[in-house]
Amino acid sequence: MMKFRFRRQGADPQREKLKQELFAFNKTVEHGFPNQPSALAFDPELRIMAIGTRSGAIKIYGAPGVEFTGLHQDMATVTQMHFLPGQSWFLLTHQGRLLTLLDDSSLHLWEIVHQNGCAHLEEALSFQLPSRLGFDGASGPPTLSHVTVVLLVSAGNMAALGTEGGSVFFLDVSTLMLIEDQTLGPDEVLRSLPDDYRCGKALGPVESLQGHLRDPTKILIGYSRGLLVIWNQAAQCADCIFLGNQLESLCWERSGSTLVSSHSDGSYAVWSADTGTSPVMQPTVATMPYGPFPCKAINKILWRSCESGGHFIIFSGGMPRASYGDRHCVSVLRAETLVTLDFTSRIIDFFTVHSTRPEDEFDEPQALAVLLEEELVVLDLQVPGWPVVPAPYLAPLHSSAITCSAHVANVPAKLWARIVSAGEQQSPQPDSSALSWPITGGRSLAQEPSQRGLLLTGHEDGTVRFWDASGVALQPLYKLSTAGLFQTDCEHADSLAQATEDDWPPFRKVGCFDPYSDDPRLGVQKVALCKYTAQMVVAGTAGQVLVLELSDVPLEQAVSVASVDLLQDREGFTWKGHERLSPRTGPLPWPAGFQPRVLVQCLPPAAVTAVTLHTEWSLVAFGTSHGFGLFDYQRKSPVLARCTLHPNDSLAMEGPLSRVKSLKKSLRQSFRRIRKSRVSGKKRAANANSKLQEANAQLAEQACPHDVEMTPVQRRIEPRSADDCLSGVVRCLYFADTFLRDAAHHGPTMWAGTNSGSVFAYALEVPVAVAGSEKRPERVVEAVLGKEVQLMHRAPVVAIAVLDGRGRPLPEPYEASQDLAQAPDMQGGHAVLIASEEQFKVFTLPKVSAKTKFKLTAHEGCRVRKVALATFASVACEDYAETCLACLTNLGDVHIFSVPGLRPQVHYSCIRKEDISGIASCVFTRHGQGFYLISPSEFERFSLSARNITEPLCSLDLSWPHGAACASYSFQELPKLSQANGTPGIILAPQSRDGSPNPVHSQRADTPELPEAVLSPMSIDSATSADTTLDTIGDITVEDVKDFLGTSEESEKNLRNLVEDEARACAILIK
């Protein structure tokens, strides 16, 4: 029979207002490298760069902190992007407009618009091809087929579209309308060709379009068959004709008297444009750089001139097909110097940063930027050797696959400077290099961060990378490598590879993306850093636990090695997994930075699943699937080892790299589940009486007043079996100075939680350090089991935290002793918060009696994946803050609870429930923010705090030409939607060519539901809206449609507001 508990009527309005001042959900910025890039563009006037992706996203970058993000309505690949040129013939303009071409041959015009002092990227116009495409050719009138290339002509007011059929169409950029009377068909070009060249064959697709550098009425057209034509638009005739091989790309020389073409056979040719109208059969220069054997095509080529002599020829591809056909190379040739830049991922596009002023006679290239599939590389062309310029952003997070991550907040300035110094010593820059990062457009309006934040990422190759996560740009600071401590087979492979390497072609390895791991056992599983003592612990896949300490100078020293047997000689268990890593012996050289002091090897060498560090006690605790151990790294001796394996838990002995499966055990578990489900089904059938239940429900509904809220019916949670596989996995470890033995004496304790819902609490006897001394006496540390708690349903324990007498979490080591945090209340009773996958529960200490709890699985039907205690500061009052519990569930929702009352505050939809890797990679910060992987190379940053938000706030200096199309756009402000990365922004409704709302955008069947912050126990209408992801599809009900449409009075009011907003937006843009 249902039981109802009545709460007090209504909700406290003061508390609801306070929630709005404390909590707000925003997806703010993406850190890392865009996933699957497909196009590249550069504006030399504004010094900004755009990257398009296969998912239809656009990301524009300028100076560090200047970022803009947009997303096309259709999930189509961005194939080409072009910034509208800023120089017209009568004035200098900086437009900040971008034309994009998708693989469905649709064109989109984007603008950087200033609103409320900040710049945003908005889509203004779009041009969609007709649904039925024709095929253009010489036999009939040209029709618009698949667009292959786009060229902006006449100072960006007109665009030429080359098609697969060989036709060239012209488009008015201001309206995105075709100019019918200027279409150039292939038949018109064929009339200018000699009879022996036609041979009844078509010209092929238009491969390249280039504007004439000396005459804007002429364009250079390159066809796939090899025909090059300089077409005079005014006279409608061909001025010059060049007959070559199958074409790949074209480029003009600065003076406009010479052009260079690249071809599919790996050659390039130089042509003189000052010839007559007769067809030119032979180029001035024709060469195959890596011949004479068959070579791959040169996909793109650039020619850049220098005043000092010796022009640059830069091209991609052209490698010998048989020997190096699988290499991804960009070749840089100047005079007699040839360097073959060898990359580890596919080349997307490249450009040079050079002078574009009309008065300059030479290009004088400064830098070469190469966009690869996995990274962006910039080289300094002004310095001999052409060194790589360090990037302040767009660093490839996935240079080796990310295996774990951690965030460290409020890093002291001294430690920050030491880490930065160690990173600079790792990659020193040549003294002769004076070039800084060349992409410097715009300026960041964000305030300097009040505190420094470190993001630590562990990788598959045994490295830990330190990132500056204080602001919008995620900048690499330092890289720690642990592979040098172990003996691997990588040296053999490197020596063999170097021995077989020839001097030709002159390869030069460039870039840091390396997807191959030398040994999977090197993978980093857990990291922990003490920011006050500059000590950290790194734990890996083969059970290795490294304790490291930061040193400012290189040292040569031996590393102490110790082993801890977690099985404790238990019989019947045989490890079937990988072997342990063999450490190097003797003194080893270590560069400046974090240097290993102690190596603790867990036996069996299973992957480490939990680790924690207490530098004040010089203790490190670690856990695997077999048990947990405690190690004193000051005395270099083990303190404790506890096996957590169940007698039937044989699967834990196979390891993550083993393919051995126990078929007998799998069958036994399957039959056990079937038997259990049948028994429970019979019980439910015997006890259920549907009519009686319906009558009781109706009676309860009549008896209960409607204005009183009732607690929902809780779901029934089945207890988990004690002999489930991997039940002994240690999920969390925790150190605390609290009351465990009695209520009068507090002392050091260690807590461990396992996958089977067991919690072990140990009382530690740690020698107290003498006053004025940082190190404690060299006495033995002892550990005694004080408490053991078994959760009812055996749900895995996710996190453990001890709360002081005021209900606040205990400070970190050295925080209270060095007056860096408020000292904990050691007078009142302490409590321990235990978070399992199903519920949160607070126990009093030292009795360990239940005080309060919240059953998340029973109420919400989800399971806990990540938990963290965070401080939320108020927007209205600077001195007010609350410490709350943030929780991420397996459905991707984030819930916030008060501490220690465990009252639900708000919950938001953060990650798609299908994104399992994103949920598993989520990490919370201490100030209400978080990170999670949205792709192997990108972290999404989100904020749960209404006050602590890190988002790009930037501006660009734009000057628009007179009569620009922006003044005629209808800027209809839509609700906040997620852009490519979920970053909040205003999306403007674009117009179609006839001025009406674009049907491509207005007829959206997947219009996302307006997200709201769901507040408990009642939702607040004025709460800050939360972002949803565009590709998330939810159920749409009739009520949702009614809420979206609203009443007629609301529609009229919205229409009036729209007219006012349009007037204001146009006024802003005209300025």
Side-chain angles (χ1 to χ4, degrees), residues 113-120 445 953-955 973 986 1064 1068:
V113 181
H114 283 78
Q115 293 178 352
N116 300 325
C118 296
H120 302 273
L445 305 178
L953 300 174
C954 47
S955 67
E973 189 168 312
I986 302 298
R1064 286 196 297 268
I1068 292 174

Side-chain angles (χ1 to χ4, degrees), residues 33-42 49-61 72 76-83 98-103 300 346-351 370-373 376:
F33 186 78
N35 187 39
Q36 296 182 332
S38 57
L40 178 68
F42 179 67
M49 175 185 65
I51 296 177
T53 69
R54 296 184 191 176
S55 61
I58 299 175
K59 300 184 180 183
I60 297 180
Y61 302 91
H72 291 89
T77 300
V78 181
T79 57
Q80 294 183 39
M81 297 190 297
H82 302 273
F83 280 103
L98 181 70
L99 187 66
T100 61
L101 172 67
L102 306 185
D103 61 354
K300 180 178 179 178
R346 187 171 60 91
I347 298 166
I348 304 299
D349 202 353
F350 58 93
F351 65 85
V370 184
L371 176 66
L372 308 165
E373 196 170 32
L376 176 74

Side-chain angles (χ1 to χ4, degrees), residues 848-1009:
V848 193
S849 59
K851 184 178 180 181
T852 181
K853 63 181 176 181
F854 184 85
K855 299 179 179 179
L856 184 67
T857 303
H859 287 287
E860 305 293 340
C862 53
R863 296 186 182 276
V864 178
R865 287 293 177 258
K866 301 287 181 176
V867 166
L869 290 168
T871 302
F872 295 87
S874 172
V875 176
C877 180
E878 294 185 359
D879 299 331
Y880 183 79
E882 289 186 8
T883 299
C884 298
L885 179 70
C887 157
L888 176 69
T889 70
N890 64 326
L891 302 181
D893 299 332
V894 175
H895 297 252
I896 300 178
F897 300 87
S898 64
V899 174
L902 297 182
R903 294 186 179 88
Q905 302 299 305
V906 293
H907 73 269
Y908 309 101
S909 178
C910 180
I911 310 174
R912 294 182 298 111
K913 63 181 180 180
E914 297 84 6
D915 189 2
I916 300 176
S917 61
I919 295 174
S921 64
C922 182
V923 55
F924 291 104
T925 73
R926 293 183 58 183
H927 300 287
Q929 295 193 34
F931 303 84
Y932 68 93
L933 287 173
I934 56 175
S935 72
S937 60
E938 291 174 290
F939 270 111
E940 175 76 82
R941 188 175 191 144
F942 63 91
S943 175
L944 305 172
S945 171
R947 181 175 172 182
N948 186 19
I949 301 176
T950 303
E951 60 183 353
L953 300 174
C954 47
S955 67
L956 276 175
D957 295 329
L958 304 176
S959 57
W960 293 64
H962 295 291
C966 61
S968 64
Y969 298 156
S970 174
F971 290 99
Q972 178 184 358
E973 189 168 312
L974 295 178
K976 267 190 176 183
L977 300 178
S978 294
Q979 297 182 2
N981 57 349
T983 305
I986 302 298
I987 296 180
L988 305 182
Q991 282 186 322
S992 63
R993 297 184 301 271
D994 57 358
S996 61
N998 194 333
V1000 177
H1001 299 277
S1002 59
Q1003 298 178 1
R1004 292 184 59 204
D1006 56 344
T1007 303
E1009 185 181 354

Side-chain angles (χ1 to χ4, degrees), residues 443-734:
R443 63 181 184 275
S444 177
L445 305 178
Q447 298 180 353
E448 284 294 323
S450 58
Q451 55 91 18
R452 296 290 184 181
L454 273 178
L455 181 65
L456 310 180
T457 56
H459 297 265
E460 191 180 29
D461 61 352
T463 60
V464 179
R465 286 171 168 83
F466 291 64
W467 308 89
D468 180 4
S470 308
V472 173
L474 191 69
Q475 185 173 358
L477 297 179
Y478 167 72
K479 183 178 76 171
L480 164 66
S481 178
T482 62
L485 180 60
F486 304 100
Q487 296 178 2
T488 59
D489 297 332
C490 60
E491 296 95 356
H492 253 345
D494 291 344
S495 61
L496 290 175
Q498 293 176 1
T500 58
E501 194 72 45
D502 295 330
D503 294 334
W504 181 262
F507 287 116
R508 173 186 163 192
K509 287 287 185 181
V510 182
C512 60
F513 177 72
D514 185 11
Y516 307 107
S517 175
D518 298 326
D519 194 329
R521 297 175 296 174
L522 292 172
V524 177
Q525 296 296 322
K526 298 292 178 181
V527 292
L529 171 67
C530 176
K531 57 189 177 184
Y532 302 113
T533 60
Q535 296 177 350
M536 70 178 301
V537 57
V538 178
T541 305
Q544 68 272 26
V545 180
L546 273 171
V547 180
L548 306 100
E549 189 173 358
L550 183 61
S551 175
D552 299 327
V553 294
L555 294 176
E556 184 173 349
Q557 62 180 4
V559 178
S560 301
V561 180
S563 299
V564 176
D565 184 10
L566 299 180
L567 290 181
Q568 294 295 293
D569 299 328
R570 183 172 296 191
E571 297 180 357
F573 289 92
T574 303
W575 173 247
K576 304 175 185 177
H578 51 263
E579 297 294 330
R580 57 182 290 183
L581 286 167
S582 300
R584 299 177 185 270
T585 58
L588 299 174
W590 303 105
F594 282 92
Q595 301 170 349
R597 297 289 186 263
V598 181
L599 169 63
V600 183
Q601 179 63 55
C602 300
L603 296 177
V608 178
T609 57
V611 75
T612 186
L613 177 69
H614 201 293
T615 54
E616 200 167 358
W617 302 336
S618 298
L619 297 177
V620 58
F622 44 86
T624 68
S625 57
H626 308 124
F628 56 88
L630 181 63
F631 190 84
D632 181 358
Y633 61 86
Q634 178 177 325
R635 299 186 68 253
K636 300 179 177 58
S637 62
V639 178
L640 169 69
R642 171 74 182 251
C643 182
T644 57
L645 283 178
H646 190 271
N648 294 331
D649 198 0
S650 62
L651 190 61
M653 303 306 297
E654 297 176 2
L657 304 181
S658 174
R659 298 182 180 179
V660 181
K661 298 294 180 182
S662 177
L663 179 61
K664 182 178 179 180
K665 182 175 181 181
S666 299
L667 292 174
R668 186 189 304 119
Q669 291 178 347
S670 300
F671 283 114
R672 190 173 296 159
R673 292 192 190 100
I674 295 173
R675 191 183 305 114
K676 185 185 299 182
S677 62
R678 289 177 178 174
V679 172
S680 58
K682 292 179 180 179
K683 291 182 179 178
R684 286 194 296 269
N687 298 332
N689 191 329
S690 59
K691 294 184 179 180
L692 181 59
Q693 289 183 354
E694 291 178 3
N696 290 337
Q698 294 177 0
L699 182 61
E701 185 178 356
Q702 295 174 1
C704 178
H706 294 281
D707 56 346
V708 178
E709 186 185 357
M710 298 173 295
T711 56
V713 178
Q714 297 182 7
R715 295 169 175 81
R716 181 181 178 183
I717 307 300
E718 293 287 345
R720 307 189 185 195
S721 174
D723 57 349
D724 280 346
C725 61
L726 300 180
S727 61
V729 175
V730 178
R731 295 289 297 271
C732 61
L733 292 164
Y734 180 70

